Amino acid sequence: MAEDESRISIAKTFRVKPKLRPTSNKATPTPESKFWKSFKIPKDIEFTPSKSVIYPITSIAFSPIAPHDFAATHSANISIFSGKTLEPKSTIASAFADSATSAAFRCDGKLLAAGDLTGTVHVFDAKSRTHLRRLKCHSAAARLVRYPRADDKFHLFSGGDDSVVKYWDVTTETCLFNLLGHKDYVRCGDASPVSDDMFASGSYDHKVRIWDVRVSNSGSVMELNHEKPVESVLYLPSGGLIATAGGNFVKIWDVIGGGKLLYSMESHNKTVTSLCIGKIGKESGEEAQQYRILSVSLDGYMKVFDYAKFKITHSMRFPNPLLSVGFSPDCSTRVIGTTNGTFYVGRRKTKLESDGPGDVVGLGDVEVDPERRVIRPTYFRYFHRGQNTKPSEGDYLITRPRKLKFAVHDKLLKKFRHKEALVAALSGKNTENVVAVMEELVARKKLLKCVSNLDEEELGLLLGFLQKYSTMPRYAGFLMRFTEKVVEMRADDIKSSDQLRGNIRNLKRDVEEEIRIQQSMQEIQGIISPMLRIAARR
Amino acid sequence: MITGGKSLVSSPPAFSNDAKRLLVCTGNTVSIFSTSTGLQISELEGHGAPVTSVIIVPASTPASKVLCHCWTTSLDGKIRLWDFMAPELIRTIDAGFPIHSMVIPSLLSQQMESKGKSPNLFAYIYIEAERQREGQPNSSCGQIRKCNLTKSRLAGGVSLAETHKPGCISISPSGKYIGICETHKLRIWEIPTKDSDNTVYKKIRLHHTKTFTTLAFHPTERVVAAGDVTGRILLWRGVGHRTFSIGDKFINGGLNKDAEERPGVRGNDDADSCTTWHWHSAEVNVLFFSSDGAYLFSGGREGVFVVWQLDTGKKKFLPRIGSPLLYFTNSSDPSLSSISCANNQIHLLRMPSMEISRSISGIKLPNSVSDIYEGSGSSVVFDHTVGFVAVPTDNYSVQFYSLFNDREISEVQICERNHQPGDEATVKVNLVALSRDGSTMGTVETRLPEEGIGGFVSLKFWACGSQNKDFSLSTVIYEPHREASVSSIAFHPDCHMAVTSSYGGDFKIWVCTHDTHLKDQMLQSSGWRCHAVGSYKKKPMTAAAFSADGSVLAVAAEKVVTLWDPDQNILVAVIGDTLEPIVTLSFVGKSTYLMSASRGSNPQLTLWSMSKLSISWSYKLHTEDVTCSGDSSTFAVLALLPKTSECVASTEATLQGFDGAILLFNVENPVPLATWFVSKAQGGRLGFIQKSPRLPDEVTDVKSAHDLLAYMDSNYEYVLFNPYGKQGHNQSITRWQNLSNLEEKEKIGYASIYGELTEFSVEKDQTHIPHIPYEKNWETLFSGPSHKLAPLTKLCLDFLESSLERRSVTVE
């Protein structure tokens, strides 16, 4: 120990290091955004535009029963997709007289209901596609159809552009209650996950009403003012919170606490069209098995909102305006529908999937531990025994002093062979190192000396480098002036060589290009700056 | 009062005879360091001027090894003999002239002589004498004089040589020759073995075309090595065959060689041959022959220690010492020697392996080429709470130095770049700032451009983990103010906020943000971000300061002071108009006063009242530095004394080399509370330091609650005193006592190789044997026929056992 202390190093040697890059938040994704990014288009199925539909996808619903098939409504069709393979399984087309809306699965996944723009609510067998019931009572388009979520299999509710919410007994095709109260189109709603008798509906009169069919005659039990036409209503899994979307924002309400507004998430730039519940399907980690709100908007963004922390944890951009979103209950599939009929299906690779079919399991047992041979001094391995021993927990590790690895240019700089160091850096691949070596040479006041000593070939190398990088914003401040100096110093050599003249031509072209860019950027700045000034005044 | 920060490398150090102590000339005192721990253990105080040389009286016999005497010389003209273990003064000899160097040849030659009664002890001293010449009354010259130490007087009028400037005398290890370098020539004298008051010296000169810097003698042969300013080492062999050997009856063959047969020897110099070794790229400062004469050690400005094999000229290197080498000293222990470096460090060298075993570091001296950054402010800062000072050093780092302990604490590498000592400084750490609690450091480093390209400024924020000042880099900001350089950094007193002002006309407020999004992995990232940018009429911002509660930010925009709300970044008020740009701003404690200082042709020290937004009072003073105490409403100003005033002649006598004054003010009163005159004030710094609990607190009245004032002059020598108390009480005497215990006992012989033997007890073995001899056993033991007797080996044990008297069994 005393020996270690006494060994004082005098002066450390340093490598030539490039300037640090600014670290951005994107460089280190949080585990959560990693999770949301892990939803990728499966390789085996391609939702190419040709396969997708051409009409807006108005709603997406997942079956609550595995394998979690999902249904999507578009024009006068409902397409049902297999939850396992993500292939379109079947399409119900003939039943609808007009565009289909709002698909909804029953709690056992056996029945599928959907409305259409004529005001009819259709009920199908999800498997056989048999048209079982037609519930006709709405006088205008039925935009909202939902089954109760807990275990009520006999009722459903619907809302329509006639601003009435109806509660149906499906078996008899009768409307049990007409729930009146909305003053504009009812476009969305959701059933409570904990109670079969409660549901919420949102309307274009900016209100969200919560109904209880047990006290149906007295109108809505609660009224929430969203202050924008409500596009989507979502009961959060606890049943105590409601998320509403409308306009550019999503609001979270505490229903149990008397309809108090908890938070307003205002990060979308266009109308938020749909909400759904997402769940982080990871076993470990801080946020495992937590629920999130997925919101999609016409601005093409899907945002993941943590309603416990009131924070947006992930944000994803799509090239089209988004209309509907669905997330499978087993956390493996995420589907987004757009206005032009494209599906964005993302599937997460899970461990179950990778285990795959049974034959892989069979292979696992073949491998048997090879017999351990006793190592004798006659073996070469005898002399290496114990060298790979891993330290155990409590061991005090004495590490060998880390040896600095020096690059070629570092070694040459150490020997004060400046020009060779510059050439060595230039012939390397790393741009940052070249600039770092140049800066080091500046600090030694040797850079211009080096340039004057370069022979023609090396000068060509340098000019090639300068042409490539002198317009890059990171290095431009330094390299532009340096280029000027180089051209000035070696004008005669450049004139005499064809190749160097070629280099200079390229350089000139790049610089002109850059100047054009700068000019157009200045124009933009000229447009924007008065606007900013006006905005700042407000 | 505590003083410290003295240069350790003003003159060569010396090892004690047992090589356990190193005697270093530190200003007016000689500090004694332990070579095993590198800590100071005692001090020899007594000289009135800087000590220039220290010579240990060698131990001629093993018995006299305990003798710890040394001679010291000083610029005050005194030669003193000390017992440095006690430590006490034995004798004082007054030479009358400032002594720059001294050698005592007879001390060295005594070792070889028989132990006789040496009649007189002669020393050769290099003094600064006044030149007796008309016309130039004040010109001084160097003189080598002889001094009879036994009789305590200068030897009668003998002056060996007269030179332009006093320097250093070199002496051969045998004490036979002494020599000096004088510009282009070496002068060497032979010292007769029987030295007396009037002897005739044989002398020779050796010439060269370059200026010599150093000189060394071979221990046994007549070989002289000399280094010059260009880095060449000249090696003369057979020096002085003609002159010296006649008296010695020395048989030599090269006596009558022609000039052609003496290769390299210039003119009529008395040497057989001269060889030149040229490896050093700059001035050679160190030359030393190893004690066996086989190697020559050399070192110079480039900070590489070179070992030359004398016969072959082969080299071995100890590179990257990081600073110009100044002296090399060997000790009686062949494996221990020391190198003194220009950055105020003494490295103890383990010799054959050339390993640095320990370093004694003083405060790193200011950069000599820092003038190019004039105007960017001095960068030495004081840590108010723990009494540290942060000094930027040549090798792009910041040294933390404890003022109370006079010891280096740590060094933080600011810029990761290899430092070549000889180079022109193009990269420099030119601003350092510490937050009030010392947990955050901000540094600004500047790279100078080469012909207008490639220069940039980077601002770095450092976070400190523990009290030990091991700072780690938190944020780097390249070009914080575009191309403009930063004029000042100031930290918010409470929260993580800092402001940098630049000459480019804006200031930026930086805040520290903590992101702790990865809690499970314990990953914390914190960084400094720009919070706000402000400017005032595009004027260069020259200084910035936060008020004591952090609610007001004052930024000097050239000649006016702008006051801002740092959180909202709103301009609150603009006050004042000074004649010259303001260089320093500071809020006075918790009072409502702001102090500003400007330099230039119309220097001004102004106190602004924040409540009235107007000048309270002002002085025309050339202020070098200002400091404000943390809580009370006093502040201290280091002012340079005006040089061009007409009363120079009258005050000359009273000022005695003082060129600055420290003035202590209270905000209410423009009359200073106290004034001290100081020397070397140009570039000096002032700082209030919290009184450390470690200090012996002899004043226990109310005033002891006040801070101490630290003054550091341009050579980084500092003094720490209580500005409110009486002066003159010296607290440094008791400082080293606790340190001397730390010195470890050196192991010798077996223990040094294998470590201490564990003491094993013989008793332990005996207890296992149930062996109870009975009374008078020996009487019957041998009775009986011999063939029946037990073997002798058995009997012997019994016999001896029984013949010993048994101890009574009270041990249990």
Side-chain angles (χ1 to χ4, degrees):
Chain A
M1 199 63 195
E3 275 299 301
D4 284 348
E5 273 179 353
S6 69
R7 209 169 276 198
I8 298 164
S9 65
I10 339 156
K12 290 159 267 175
T13 39
F14 300 105
R15 279 177 292 183
V16 173
K17 269 190 206 138
K19 284 188 200 172
L20 299 171
R21 282 167 182 270
T23 50
S24 66
N25 289 336
K26 272 175 192 162
T28 53
T30 59
E32 180 160 344
S33 64
K34 263 188 212 156
F35 172 79
W36 292 112
K37 269 186 193 160
S38 66
F39 286 91
K40 298 210 175 97
I41 300 167
K43 290 239 170 63
D44 41 350
I45 354 149
E46 288 270 324
F47 273 86
T48 51
S50 66
K51 270 192 184 172
S52 63
V53 292
I54 49 168
Y55 296 102
I57 295 148
T58 50
S59 73
I60 292 169
F62 269 92
S63 160
I65 302 301
H68 303 298
D69 294 344
F70 64 92
T73 57
H74 52 91
S75 70
N77 298 322
I78 300 184
S79 298
I80 300 173
F81 296 81
S82 159
K84 202 176 241 170
T85 62
L86 302 180
E87 295 283 2
K89 251 171 41 179
S90 53
T91 306
I92 304 167
S94 54
F96 296 99
D98 204 340
S99 292
T101 58
S102 187
F105 278 98
R106 200 168 72 170
C107 57
D108 57 358
K110 284 187 177 147
L111 295 189
L112 174 67
D116 69 14
L117 292 191
T118 61
T120 316
V121 176
H122 307 265
V123 179
F124 306 95
D125 188 309
K127 211 170 238 172
S128 63
R129 289 179 283 155
T130 329
H131 201 159
L132 300 175
R133 295 287 186 275
R134 279 191 184 80
L135 312 176
K136 288 188 192 167
C137 201
H138 280 292
S139 56
R143 299 270 194 177
L144 158 70
V145 177
R146 282 285 183 278
Y147 273 102
R149 290 210 330 230
D151 59 351
D152 183 0
K153 295 179 182 168
F154 306 110
H155 301 95
L156 63 76
F157 66 93
S158 65
D161 286 357
D162 53 359
S163 71
V164 183
V165 178
K166 288 173 189 286
Y167 188 70
W168 300 86
D169 182 47
V170 183
T171 43
T172 57
E173 292 191 356
T174 50
C175 173
L176 296 181
F177 307 112
N178 279 322
L179 304 170
L180 303 171
H182 283 300
K183 299 190 179 68
D184 208 337
Y185 301 156
V186 176
R187 284 287 166 94
C188 55
D190 198 16
S192 163
V194 289
S195 161
D196 282 333
D197 303 317
M198 296 195 62
F199 52 89
S201 64
S203 153
Y204 275 15
D205 62 357
H206 303 189
K207 298 287 194 304
V208 172
R209 283 173 192 277
I210 296 168
W211 311 93
D212 191 340
V213 289
R214 293 167 293 195
V215 288
S216 57
N217 43 2
S218 61
S220 65
V221 290
M222 194 178 285
E223 182 185 304
L224 310 171
N225 188 359
H226 185 77
E227 293 168 347
K228 276 281 154 65
V230 184
E231 294 286 349
S232 184
V233 174
L234 182 69
Y235 255 107
L236 299 181
S238 65
L241 299 180
I242 281 184
T244 60
N248 298 351
F249 43 83
V250 176
K251 289 184 173 178
I252 314 283
W253 307 85
D254 184 0
V255 188
I256 294 170
K260 200 170 63 179
L261 175 66
L262 292 182
Y263 189 78
S264 175
M265 186 264 272
E266 308 182 1
S267 63
H268 282 290
N269 296 323
K270 283 187 182 170
T271 306
V272 183
T273 49
S274 181
L275 299 176
C276 86
I277 281 290
K279 187 174 160 196
I280 298 176
K282 293 197 305 186
E283 277 75 32
S284 60
E286 193 197 343
E287 51 279 291
Q289 305 298 327
Q290 280 188 8
Y291 290 102
R292 298 282 186 267
I293 298 172
L294 310 186
S295 63
V296 294
S297 150
L298 293 180
D299 60 3
Y301 274 98
M302 183 202 79
K303 305 229 176 207
V304 180
F305 182 72
D306 181 354
Y307 61 86
K309 289 181 187 149
F310 299 127
K311 222 168 82 180
I312 289 180
T313 52
H314 186 63
S315 174
M316 248 176 143
R317 166 106 222 245
F318 293 92
N320 291 312
L322 309 179
L323 264 191
S324 51
V325 62
F327 192 79
S328 80
D330 64 350
C331 314
S332 66
T333 318
R334 183 217 66 216
V335 184
I336 294 171
T338 65
T339 50
N340 65 355
T342 317
F343 286 99
Y344 293 106
V345 181
R347 162 140 290 187
R348 191 162 175 270
K349 261 201 184 139
T350 55
K351 288 214 176 90
L352 278 171
E353 212 175 8
S354 63
D355 272 355
D359 54 330
V360 181
V361 182
L363 280 170
D365 288 336
V366 177
E367 236 169 282
V368 187
D369 275 8
E371 204 177 308
R372 281 200 86 115
R373 290 199 300 182
V374 181
I375 298 175
R376 295 214 177 78
T378 48
Y379 299 161
F380 180 65
R381 274 179 58 204
Y382 178 82
F383 299 101
H384 286 276
R385 70 195 193 282
Q387 287 187 359
N388 296 331
T389 313
K390 295 279 180 293
S392 59
E393 188 111 335
D395 286 356
Y396 178 74
L397 290 179
I398 299 168
T399 47
R400 187 174 294 178
R402 181 76 56 83
K403 212 181 161 190
L404 263 184
K405 272 191 185 164
F406 286 108
V408 184
H409 55 82
D410 281 320
K411 283 178 193 158
L412 290 169
L413 279 176
K414 241 172 89 181
K415 291 173 187 160
F416 305 97
R417 287 154 71 178
H418 296 131
K419 188 199 87 171
E420 286 157 73
L422 178 63
V423 172
L426 280 171
S427 40
K429 287 258 162 34
N430 196 333
T431 324
E432 286 181 343
N433 278 348
V434 180
V435 178
V437 168
M438 284 177 179
E439 273 165 0
E440 173 64 26
L441 288 175
V442 165
R444 297 185 183 193
K445 300 212 165 175
K446 291 291 185 302
L447 182 60
L448 298 183
K449 187 98 189 157
C450 285
V451 170
S452 62
N453 287 344
L454 290 175
D455 64 27
E456 200 170 291
E457 204 171 306
E458 291 157 350
L459 189 61
L461 202 61
L462 177 65
L463 286 177
F465 174 82
L466 291 176
Q467 180 234 321
K468 224 170 174 179
Y469 295 105
S470 59
T471 53
M472 250 169 98
R474 258 192 94 192
Y475 314 119
F478 168 56
L479 287 185
M480 270 301 181
R481 283 183 214 169
F482 178 51
T483 311
E484 219 171 286
K485 212 90 195 178
V486 170
V487 173
E488 196 178 291
M489 283 172 71
R490 304 294 300 261
D492 296 337
D493 299 287
I494 291 165
K495 267 178 214 156
S496 61
S497 158
D498 276 340
Q499 204 199 338
L500 293 182
R501 261 183 295 172
N503 276 328
I504 288 292
R505 263 198 302 280
N506 290 342
L507 187 63
K508 210 171 157 188
R509 197 189 54 222
D510 280 9
V511 169
E512 277 163 3
E513 172 77 30
E514 182 65 24
I515 289 169
R516 261 204 305 284
I517 292 170
Q518 293 288 343
Q519 273 172 347
S520 56
M521 295 220 320
Q522 271 181 343
E523 280 165 24
I524 294 168
Q525 196 189 7
I527 297 163
I528 289 174
S529 58
M531 291 204 240
L532 285 176
R533 190 149 292 187
I534 292 163
R537 214 173 285 160
R538 268 180 201 165
Chain B
M1 192 164 79
I2 294 176
T3 56
K6 299 280 194 280
S7 169
L8 304 176
V9 294
S10 57
S11 30
F15 280 100
S16 67
N17 285 325
D18 53 359
K20 283 181 189 167
R21 280 163 183 69
L22 185 68
L23 279 74
V24 182
C25 306
T26 48
N28 297 357
T29 60
V30 175
S31 301
I32 301 169
F33 289 88
S34 156
T35 56
S36 49
T37 59
L39 296 176
Q40 186 169 3
I41 38 180
S42 66
E43 204 169 30
L44 306 179
E45 281 175 286
H47 279 294
V51 180
T52 49
S53 68
V54 51
I55 299 166
I56 304 282
V57 177
S60 45
T61 56
S64 64
K65 270 216 170 176
V66 287
L67 204 67
C68 296
H69 288 178
C70 69
W71 291 93
T72 59
T73 61
S74 160
L75 290 182
D76 63 357
K78 304 275 198 305
I79 304 170
R80 286 169 196 257
L81 178 66
W82 308 80
D83 183 346
F84 59 83
M85 281 308 285
E88 60 187 17
L89 181 64
I90 299 171
R91 270 177 67 197
T92 305
I93 299 161
D94 194 350
F97 298 102
I99 304 165
H100 284 257
S101 178
M102 175 172 81
V103 288
I104 309 174
S106 39
L107 282 182
L108 298 165
S109 50
Q110 259 176 11
Q111 284 174 299
M112 280 151 270
E113 284 174 26
S114 58
K115 272 292 288 178
K117 183 80 178 163
S118 68
N120 281 324
L121 194 61
F122 286 103
Y124 294 85
I125 53 177
Y126 209 157
I127 57 167
E128 188 178 338
E130 270 186 28
R131 187 170 296 204
Q132 273 91 40
R133 197 181 292 170
E134 297 84 36
Q136 297 162 298
N138 277 334
S139 74
S140 63
C141 65
Q143 267 185 355
I144 296 184
R145 301 284 283 268
K146 191 171 173 182
C147 181
N148 190 332
L149 295 178
T150 321
K151 290 181 182 163
S152 312
R153 60 179 171 82
L154 288 178
V158 185
S159 167
L160 271 76
E162 199 159 298
T163 57
H164 296 292
K165 227 177 85 181
C168 186
I169 312 178
S170 306
I171 184 165
S172 75
S174 61
K176 219 170 166 188
Y177 306 101
I178 61 169
I180 55 164
C181 314
E182 192 188 359
T183 58
H184 291 28
K185 56 182 180 284
L186 302 179
R187 301 171 76 168
I188 298 169
W189 291 269
E190 187 185 30
I191 307 298
T193 37
K194 299 275 185 295
D195 211 352
S196 66
D197 267 3
N198 329 299
T199 38
V200 185
Y201 296 97
K202 291 170 186 166
K203 57 189 174 193
I204 58 162
R205 294 180 180 208
L206 296 170
H207 295 85
H208 183 41
T209 51
K210 305 282 185 322
T211 308
F212 283 115
T213 51
T214 179
L215 153 88
F217 291 96
H218 193 278
T220 49
E221 293 166 45
R222 282 218 201 98
V223 177
V224 172
D228 70 5
V229 285
T230 60
R232 289 183 178 82
I233 298 169
L234 285 88
L235 202 68
W236 284 276
R237 288 166 204 269
V239 173
H241 270 172
R242 247 178 306 169
T243 321
F244 295 155
S245 46
I246 302 161
D248 281 358
K249 297 184 186 70
F250 189 86
I251 302 130
N252 58 77
L255 183 60
N256 295 317
K257 274 183 185 173
D258 291 335
E260 293 84 47
E261 290 166 38
R262 298 185 293 147
V265 179
R266 195 164 289 279
N268 204 20
D269 287 355
D270 188 4
D272 282 352
S273 69
C274 174
T275 39
T276 305
W277 286 340
H278 197 175
W279 181 87
H280 292 280
S281 60
E283 184 179 334
V284 181
N285 291 328
V286 175
L287 274 181
F288 198 88
F289 283 98
S290 68
S291 53
D292 57 351
Y295 297 98
L296 174 68
F297 307 129
S298 72
R301 269 213 20 218
E302 63 282 294
V304 181
F305 185 64
V306 186
V307 178
W308 305 81
Q309 200 174 14
L310 209 58
D311 293 334
T312 58
K314 276 184 183 156
K315 301 179 287 284
K316 253 173 77 186
F317 303 101
L318 174 64
R320 291 195 292 280
I321 296 172
S323 184
L325 308 182
L326 293 180
Y327 314 109
F328 178 89
T329 317
N330 68 342
S331 70
S332 57
D333 182 358
S335 67
L336 188 70
S337 43
S338 80
I339 314 176
S340 305
C341 296
N343 63 358
N344 213 356
Q345 275 191 317
I346 298 175
H347 299 295
L348 296 176
L349 211 60
R350 192 157 295 154
M351 231 10 239
S353 57
M354 294 212 292
E355 230 172 52
I356 287 177
S357 62
R358 213 160 274 286
S359 294
I360 300 167
S361 34
I363 197 159
K364 297 224 173 150
L365 291 176
N367 195 339
S368 51
V369 286
S370 60
D371 313 337
I372 43 175
Y373 300 98
E374 200 52 65
S376 56
S378 180
S379 45
V380 176
V381 289
F382 292 93
D383 189 335
H384 171 78
T385 48
V386 284
F388 290 169
V389 64
V391 181
T393 63
D394 274 358
N395 56 344
Y396 325 116
S397 54
V398 169
Q399 184 192 30
F400 284 90
Y401 197 83
S402 169
L403 294 178
F404 290 120
N405 293 335
D406 198 7
R407 191 140 72 88
E408 184 191 66
I409 299 298
S410 67
E411 208 174 286
V412 181
Q413 189 79 33
I414 300 297
C415 169
E416 296 208 332
R417 182 167 183 263
N418 295 324
H419 172 63
Q420 263 87 34
D423 279 4
E424 188 184 344
T426 53
V427 182
K428 201 190 170 231
V429 179
N430 53 347
L431 270 180
V432 179
L434 285 168
S435 67
R436 177 180 280 236
D437 56 349
S439 66
T440 320
M441 177 168 71
T443 61
V444 173
E445 71 196 53
T446 312
R447 280 171 179 254
L448 285 189
E450 181 191 8
E451 298 195 19
I453 54 171
F456 67 91
V457 180
S458 44
L459 169 68
K460 286 177 181 172
F461 287 103
W462 304 78
C464 164
S466 67
Q467 194 75 298
N468 232 0
K469 298 287 164 198
D470 45 347
F471 280 96
S472 59
L473 184 60
S474 157
T475 313
V476 187
I477 299 139
Y478 297 110
E479 307 201 326
H481 294 276
R482 300 272 172 88
E483 314 239 302
S485 60
V486 179
S487 57
S488 72
I489 317 177
F491 278 95
H492 193 281
D494 306 317
C495 59
H496 285 287
M497 186 186 270
V499 61
T500 58
S501 61
S502 89
Y503 295 112
D506 60 342
F507 70 90
K508 286 189 179 180
I509 298 173
W510 309 87
V511 289
C512 185
T513 53
H514 292 280
D515 302 337
T516 50
H517 50 247
L518 302 178
K519 265 186 213 139
D520 50 340
Q521 291 162 28
M522 290 304 286
L523 237 163
Q524 266 194 6
S525 66
S526 68
W528 289 79
R529 280 163 207 283
C530 185
H531 171 69
V533 186
S535 66
Y536 182 73
K537 292 186 178 170
K538 298 255 159 65
K539 281 185 182 169
M541 300 293 193
T542 48
F546 278 103
S547 68
D549 57 350
S551 60
V552 180
L553 167 67
V555 184
E558 224 166 10
K559 293 174 187 172
V560 296
V561 180
T562 56
L563 301 172
W564 303 76
D565 179 350
D567 296 311
Q568 320 257 304
N569 198 28
I570 297 169
L571 181 63
V572 180
V574 180
I575 50 170
D577 201 5
T578 57
L579 297 166
E580 296 280 333
I582 293 168
V583 289
T584 319
L585 269 184
S586 180
F587 279 90
V588 181
K590 294 203 167 94
S591 64
T592 58
Y593 289 92
L594 173 71
M595 180 182 40
S596 75
S598 54
R599 292 180 193 164
S601 55
N602 281 313
Q604 207 172 3
L605 172 76
T606 315
L607 195 72
W608 309 86
S609 164
M610 285 295 101
S611 47
K612 296 177 201 152
L613 294 178
S614 64
I615 292 186
S616 180
W617 48 262
S618 101
Y619 270 107
K620 186 177 176 182
L621 273 179
H622 193 288
T623 324
E624 193 63 27
D625 192 24
V626 291
T627 180
C628 298
S629 73
D631 28 23
S632 63
S633 56
T634 51
F635 63 94
V637 174
L638 175 62
L640 294 184
L641 297 179
K643 280 182 189 138
T644 52
S645 70
E646 58 280 346
C647 55
V648 166
S650 62
T651 56
E652 188 85 20
T654 55
L655 289 182
Q656 295 168 358
F658 294 130
D659 59 347
I662 301 172
L663 307 166
L664 186 72
F665 286 103
N666 196 314
V667 281
E668 271 92 35
N669 196 352
V671 178
L673 297 174
T675 310
W676 299 270
F677 286 105
V678 292
S679 56
K680 288 185 249 176
Q682 181 94 43
R685 298 287 288 170
L686 272 184
F688 273 103
I689 302 286
Q690 238 172 36
K691 189 166 268 190
S692 158
R694 281 171 289 177
L695 270 180
D697 233 358
E698 80 290 331
V699 213
T700 46
D701 55 7
V702 191
K703 285 192 172 172
S704 65
H706 284 300
D707 295 343
L708 294 173
L709 187 62
Y711 164 66
M712 183 174 256
D713 70 13
S714 52
N715 285 355
Y716 290 175
E717 289 177 19
Y718 63 83
V719 59
L720 212 62
F721 58 97
N722 182 359
Y724 311 104
K726 282 171 279 173
Q727 291 301 302
H729 42 73
N730 205 332
Q731 296 173 333
S732 60
I733 303 155
T734 49
R735 241 187 323 160
W736 312 116
Q737 286 183 344
N738 50 347
L739 289 175
S740 52
N741 301 334
L742 294 172
E743 187 191 11
E744 60 189 35
K745 218 177 109 185
E746 191 155 330
K747 294 164 181 171
I748 46 158
Y750 178 85
S752 68
I753 304 169
Y754 298 109
E756 292 288 342
L757 273 177
T758 53
E759 294 211 359
F760 56 91
S761 57
V762 194
E763 279 172 47
K764 210 175 175 185
D765 299 337
Q766 287 178 336
T767 52
H768 291 294
I769 305 164
H771 193 265
I772 307 154
Y774 47 92
E775 287 291 312
K776 310 249 174 161
N777 187 7
W778 52 274
E779 283 178 61
T780 55
L781 195 62
F782 299 107
S783 57
S786 62
H787 66 271
K788 279 184 182 172
L789 273 179
L792 265 178
T793 47
K794 251 182 193 172
L795 285 175
C796 180
L797 199 65
D798 282 358
F799 174 70
L800 286 174
E801 201 79 44
S802 63
S803 59
L804 291 172
E805 207 167 295
R806 279 203 80 203
R807 258 176 101 179
S808 55
V809 215
T810 50
V811 191
E812 320 288 306

